Amino acid sequence: PGVTPGEMAYKGAPVPSGEMKRVISPGAPDMTEAEFATATKLYFERCAGCHGVLRKGATGKPLTPDITQERGTEFLKALINYGSPAGMPNWGTSGDFSEEEVDLMARFLQHEPPSPPEWGMAEMMDTWEVLVPESERPKKQQHKYDIDNIFSVTLRDSGEIALIDGDSKEIITILETGYAVHISRASHSGRYVYTIGRDAKIDMIDMFMNPPQRVATVKIGLEARSVETSKFEGYEDKIAIAGAYWPPQYVLMNGSDLKPTKIVSTRGMTVDTQEYHPEPRVAAIVASHEHPEFIVNVKETGKILLVDYSNIEALSVTTLEAARFLHDGGWDASHRYFLTAANQSNKIAVVDSKERKIAALVDAEKIPHPGRGANIMDPKYGPVWITSALGNENMTFIGTDPKKHPKHAWKVVRTLKAQGGGSLFVKTHPKSRNLWVDNTLHPQESVSQSVAVYNVDDLEAGYEVLPIAEWAGITEGPARVVQPEYNAAGDEVWFSVWNGMEQESAIVVVDDKTRKLKHVIKDPRLVTPTGKFNVYNTRKDIY
Ligand code: DHE
């Protein structure tokens, strides 16, 4: 009483106004507290996966008040209602949002973002659904496809994945999943494939069914990037784990039906300055082959957690000290060492999964971005693991064999120039003599639409450039070539030509030996393909 809403100085705070409490932000249309609460819930359910929990933008545009207030209510309403060619869904005309909800969101977005809600067991159980119980699933494979040569392909902007038969190159089925699936991981046996959406929705697919089908789903938070399943002997296919960006936590689940069993927060102190970080996001997760453990990268604290899943009731977590900001990584060829990028420190942390300790912190080229990396037998240095970089054109080669090549182990033994910076992924296969590197985020079209390939036996000879997008016949739109992935036999390499939502995209299959075009997969259903995960190579960690 006595304070009018306009007099409230601080932003986004709920303030009393007679009978009806109102929420005031300077420059934003007023809302009642009840409206604000409804809009908050809607935003976190439907929008945060793309625009980020704090609206700083990710797949979707940033939606901070400085931007949204300039656009104004009517503009925002139209955008929410009809969507946009850039990938914004038509929430209004699709019937997902009512007219009132569209109006509510348009006003809500002009306020300061409220802090995102937590997501504990109650919220997870509310979203957990077993679509086909284990007892009703087939005992045997119900189709003739070779499961090991199926590719799970992210259709980023349609909220789906495509399962593509690696033999015939035909789309077996398209499955609705979480939004903008980030990765697919096959269970140890290959029976199940787990996908994680940016919206933190996991879907579990039974590869025995004809066609393969979703059998369980759960939402483990509001934003996420990683999912993995147990691979240690005796625990195959038994336990699943997913890491969330928001809330900062990871979750253990039953491998057979995704029932969440244990949620662990990653909030805590940073590795170096030992300051409290409220939001340490979970980045890459891999399953140890040496112990019943998951190896969990915590981005902002720079810590790597060894989560022992053998006794979930008395969970034991070992914290290894690495460096900030941990992102992605993969195994060396022996599957003993996990190499992972700390991209703010330009380091590669090496985890010895057998001895359960950090083996080394290696300096790499600026902003290393390995994906899972690539393992080759270097003619001069023996087994090496390779990462490319976002920040410059160099690839870093690190020796990985302390036994037979101790002089080179955990040293940068070679750097090679790729086409330029903006590379996301490198790839090879034990049966191949080729090393492939993309340049997805390079500003120049001729570079971002092609790939470079090196001869592993003659690395200093330079690279050959293959015009992948041109081979696909794609000339229109902001197409980029991303993420090489091998088939199970290791004699083909697949590339996504990732275009805008309204344009034609494609997957280009190259014969690995001849480096010639083998096949182009095009289909109106193939909307914005990005990551591709071959079941065999994923479950066996072959790269
Ligand atoms: Fe990724 C892997 C996070 C943007 C395609 N990405 C990963 C992993 C993380 C991550 C933590 C490792 C998961 C694991 O191994 O458990 N990615 C992020 C981001 O935070 C970032 C930078 C921004 C964002 O908003 O998500 C981001 N990523 C992208 C893209 O824009 C890409 C190119 C297209 C897309 O589909 O969104 C993309 N990320 C991928 C792919 C992998 C990946 C294809 C797996 C590569 C592999 O071969 O293993």
Side-chain angles (χ1 to χ4, degrees):
V3 182
T4 66
E7 288 169 287
M8 293 299 289
Y10 50 96
K11 297 174 176 180
V15 294
S17 159
E19 291 305 301
M20 187 105 78
K21 289 188 174 176
R22 303 187 77 78
V23 179
I24 316 290
S25 291
D30 289 4
M31 301 177 78
T32 67
E33 219 176 48
E35 284 178 326
F36 195 82
T38 308
T40 300
K41 184 158 180 287
L42 257 187
Y43 179 84
F44 288 119
E45 282 171 4
R46 312 308 288 269
C47 320
C50 280
H51 295 282
V53 287
L54 297 171
R55 294 202 218 135
K56 296 213 165 86
T59 316
K61 297 250 160 63
L63 294 171
T64 41
D66 54 319
I67 299 166
T68 49
Q69 288 184 6
E70 201 162 287
R71 296 275 191 267
T73 308
E74 289 313 309
F75 177 95
L76 294 169
K77 270 169 78 171
L79 194 65
I80 298 165
N81 214 1
Y82 299 108
S84 83
M88 169 78 176
N90 53 329
W91 295 108
T93 52
S94 67
D96 286 301
F97 284 9
S98 66
E99 213 175 296
E100 293 75 47
E101 285 171 332
V102 171
D103 175 64
L104 201 62
M105 288 312 287
R107 289 184 287 134
F108 170 75
L109 292 176
Q110 297 172 68
H111 288 256
E112 283 295 325
S115 18
E118 297 298 322
W119 197 267
M121 191 53 89
E123 289 77 13
M124 286 189 207
M125 291 308 283
D126 271 355
T127 59
W128 176 52
E129 243 182 296
V130 179
L131 306 164
V132 183
E134 210 179 354
S135 58
E136 288 167 28
R137 292 177 207 156
K139 301 280 174 279
K140 285 198 316 245
Q141 190 176 322
Q142 303 291 298
H143 53 73
K144 295 219 176 69
Y145 300 107
D146 171 10
I147 292 178
D148 267 343
N149 203 28
I150 292 176
F151 288 70
S152 176
V153 179
T154 295
L155 304 177
R156 191 181 193 259
D157 296 344
S158 69
E160 296 167 323
I161 57 136
L163 294 178
I164 303 183
D165 174 25
D167 296 339
S168 66
K169 321 284 186 273
E170 269 159 25
I171 297 177
I172 300 168
T173 186
I174 305 266
L175 296 171
E176 220 176 283
T177 54
Y179 196 75
V181 159
H182 216 84
I183 61 168
S184 298
R185 285 276 166 89
S187 68
H188 182 272
S189 70
R191 164 80 189 257
Y192 296 109
V193 167
Y194 303 78
T195 64
I196 181 92
R198 263 192 171 67
D199 54 2
K201 184 170 175 285
I202 307 181
D203 288 284
M204 172 177 173
I205 299 158
D206 183 353
M207 300 300 279
F208 275 8
M209 294 168 107
N210 188 18
Q213 206 172 298
R214 290 187 318 134
V215 292
T217 181
V218 65
K219 194 164 147 64
I220 57 108
L222 297 162
E223 233 197 301
R225 300 290 183 279
S226 49
V227 64
E228 177 63 307
T229 73
S230 49
K231 290 185 176 166
F232 187 65
E233 218 185 319
Y235 293 91
E236 295 94 339
D237 292 25
K238 290 254 176 353
I239 295 164
I241 183 172
Y245 269 18
W246 186 272
Q249 63 195 23
Y250 59 89
V251 187
L252 299 173
M253 294 156 284
N254 290 342
S256 61
D257 63 6
L258 295 181
K259 182 176 188 210
T261 52
K262 195 67 71 189
I263 309 168
V264 185
S265 171
T266 54
R267 290 179 170 105
M269 311 309 269
T270 56
V271 66
D272 37 23
T273 53
Q274 302 196 40
E275 285 166 274
Y276 181 72
H277 199 293
E279 198 189 330
R281 298 175 287 175
V282 178
I285 302 178
V286 294
S288 172
H289 302 266
E290 301 279 350
H291 296 282
E293 283 178 339
F294 290 117
I295 303 181
V296 177
N297 274 347
V298 185
K299 193 184 274 288
E300 280 81 5
T301 55
K303 292 177 176 172
I304 299 176
L305 309 178
L306 307 179
V307 179
D308 180 341
Y309 51 70
S310 64
N311 184 357
I312 290 178
E313 267 61 59
L315 198 71
S316 129
V317 180
T318 303
T319 304
L320 302 183
E321 306 202 338
R324 294 198 246 178
F325 290 152
L326 295 168
H327 190 65
D328 51 357
W331 293 103
D332 79 309
S334 76
H335 294 162
R336 170 170 171 172
Y337 300 100
F338 172 59
L339 294 96
T340 186
N343 56 23
Q344 204 197 35
S345 327
N346 302 319
K347 284 191 194 310
I348 300 294
V350 184
V351 175
D352 179 348
S353 71
K354 190 170 177 185
E355 297 290 331
R356 309 173 68 252
K357 61 178 195 196
I358 296 282
L361 282 174
V362 186
D363 286 313
E365 292 294 333
K366 192 163 170 212
I367 320 186
H369 193 282
R372 286 166 288 173
N375 288 292
I376 62 162
M377 181 61 83
D378 189 291
K380 208 160 149 198
Y381 304 106
V384 301
W385 178 90
I386 304 160
T387 177
S388 56
L390 269 167
N392 66 33
E393 73 273 27
N394 287 314
M395 293 191 285
T396 304
F397 290 52
I398 297 170
T400 60
D401 183 13
K403 273 226 173 82
K404 294 208 189 101
H405 299 82
K407 257 197 355 229
H408 306 309
W410 321 133
K411 304 246 158 52
V412 176
V413 292
R414 219 189 254 286
T415 51
L416 273 191
K417 284 205 183 323
Q419 288 196 79
S423 172
L424 290 179
F425 303 110
V426 284
K427 188 67 57 124
T428 188
H429 187 279
K431 294 205 182 117
S432 167
R433 305 317 299 159
N434 286 326
L435 171 66
W436 303 86
V437 52
D438 68 18
N439 283 99
T440 313
L441 301 182
H442 196 282
Q444 202 179 315
E445 224 172 58
S446 62
V447 178
S448 68
Q449 298 193 344
S450 62
V451 296
V453 52
Y454 293 80
N455 178 352
V456 168
D457 298 316
D458 191 6
L459 288 159
E460 301 298 331
Y463 52 79
E464 184 182 355
V465 174
L466 305 185
I468 300 294
E470 194 186 307
W471 282 357
I474 287 184
T475 49
E476 269 173 33
R480 294 171 182 280
V481 171
V482 70
Q483 205 234 15
E485 175 79 350
Y486 274 85
N487 64 343
D491 58 9
E492 288 172 358
V493 55
W494 293 35
F495 298 91
S496 300
V497 183
W498 167 25
N499 213 342
M501 198 162 173
E502 302 296 312
Q503 286 106 11
E504 187 176 48
S505 287
I507 289 174
V508 171
V509 181
V510 176
D511 181 273
D512 185 66
K513 198 164 214 143
T514 61
R515 299 179 177 177
K516 296 265 185 305
L517 175 65
K518 186 162 177 183
H519 193 85
V520 177
I521 307 173
K522 277 191 185 173
D523 190 294
R525 293 172 295 171
L526 213 55
V527 178
T528 58
T530 54
K532 302 164 296 305
F533 303 87
N534 171 272
V535 169
Y536 185 76
N537 295 332
T538 308
R539 74 189 181 84
K540 292 283 185 186
D541 289 319
I542 294 174
Y543 34 80

